[in-house]
Amino acid sequence: MTNTTYTTTARLQRLMGLMTGDEKHSTAATSTLDALWVLYDRVLRVTPETAADPGRDRFLLSKGHGPMAYYAVLADKGFVDEDALSGFGGYTSVLGHHPDRTLVPGVEIGSGSLGHGLPLAVGTVLGLRAQGLHEPRVWVLIGDAELDEGSNHEALAYAGPAGLEQLHTLVIDNSSATYGWPGGIASRFAAAGWSAETVDGRDHEALYAAFTAPHPGRPRAVVARVEPKN
């Protein structure tokens, strides 16, 4: 871990530590921390000032049941006031146990039941295409256990043959899935016509390289392996 990565991680962990509400999915949050940071710091073309711009990139958090890391990154990037973090999960707080797109600046979807994010991302890309918007990229973060849901398999089976190049799926693999795939998760996407790669989910440079790899004419899947869920 470089000094810069260590400093960034320490800063984000401090922000996460401000969220002292009743949170039962802290592992789900910390598993996403590094990948979220690299996306928002170096890849996504969206800022607090452009959060309503039609030409912005879209990020959809499907793995929404552990949002502390997401909120920490949004606060660090100026979408959310740091002072709001201490109210996390409170009755009057905008920061709920699942992100709410109507309450939290920069949040694109209200994520709840697992398995919805990838289908929504496919629909978002199709909607952008229908408006003639071919530059905005759509990213969706899912957990490996979400691939137990049939809705995700229908979405990824459609996206490959449809050539949805604007679509990017980030799979956080903490060995939570009930079922397995011969050759690993990336092979499932590749079999459906996606460009797919597996990387160390704590290695910022490896994540950045995978996030920015060219994939003309195909959707992109990046599987980020992290420590197994306890």
Side-chain angles (χ1 to χ4, degrees):
M1 180 181 292
T2 66
N3 289 336
T4 300
T5 301
Y6 178 81
T7 301
T8 298
T9 301
R11 186 173 70 252
L12 294 173
Q13 288 177 340
R14 180 190 69 80
L15 292 172
M16 288 179 63
L18 299 176
M19 290 174 267
T20 57
D22 182 18
E23 171 53 59
K24 302 183 186 301
H25 292 287
S26 58
T27 301
T30 55
S31 67
T32 68
L33 185 62
D34 294 275
L36 280 171
W37 171 255
V38 174
L39 271 179
Y40 270 89
D41 189 53
R42 302 172 65 181
V43 178
L44 290 174
R45 296 174 299 196
V46 62
T47 66
E49 294 73 31
T50 62
D53 189 327
R56 73 190 183 280
D57 286 346
R58 275 75 166 169
F59 172 77
L60 283 58
L61 181 68
S62 184
K63 186 181 167 74
H65 56 294
M68 293 189 299
Y70 186 38
Y71 291 154
V73 171
L74 290 177
D76 192 83
K77 290 299 180 182
F79 291 88
V80 175
D81 289 335
E82 183 176 321
D83 291 344
L85 299 179
S86 61
F88 167 67
Y91 182 74
T92 60
S93 176
V94 299
L95 304 181
H97 293 296
H98 291 264
D100 187 328
R101 71 177 184 85
T102 68
L103 298 177
V104 185
V107 171
E108 297 283 357
I109 62 170
S111 47
S113 179
L114 295 177
H116 290 172
L118 183 52
L120 286 171
V122 168
T124 300
V125 171
L126 294 175
L128 290 170
R129 283 187 169 189
Q131 299 173 71
L133 296 170
H134 298 283
E135 293 301 319
R137 300 168 299 190
V138 177
W139 282 85
V140 58
L141 187 155
I142 69 175
D144 61 323
E146 290 190 73
L147 290 172
D148 291 343
E149 302 285 348
S151 54
N152 275 322
H153 289 277
E154 292 179 2
L156 72 88
Y158 172 83
L164 301 188
E165 185 177 342
Q166 290 167 265
L167 177 61
H168 304 74
T169 298
L170 168 60
V171 184
I172 301 297
D173 180 8
N174 62 359
S175 302
S176 295
T178 302
Y179 312 108
W181 298 267
I185 293 173
S187 68
R188 174 66 183 89
F189 284 87
W194 292 57
S195 167
E197 182 178 352
T198 301
V199 298
D200 181 347
R202 300 304 186 191
D203 186 330
H204 288 201
E205 293 306 316
L207 286 165
Y208 177 73
F211 291 164
T212 56
H215 50 97
R218 295 191 291 168
R220 175 71 168 164
V222 177
V223 180
R225 293 293 307 273
V226 297
E227 56 279 358
K229 181 178 178 180
N230 293 326

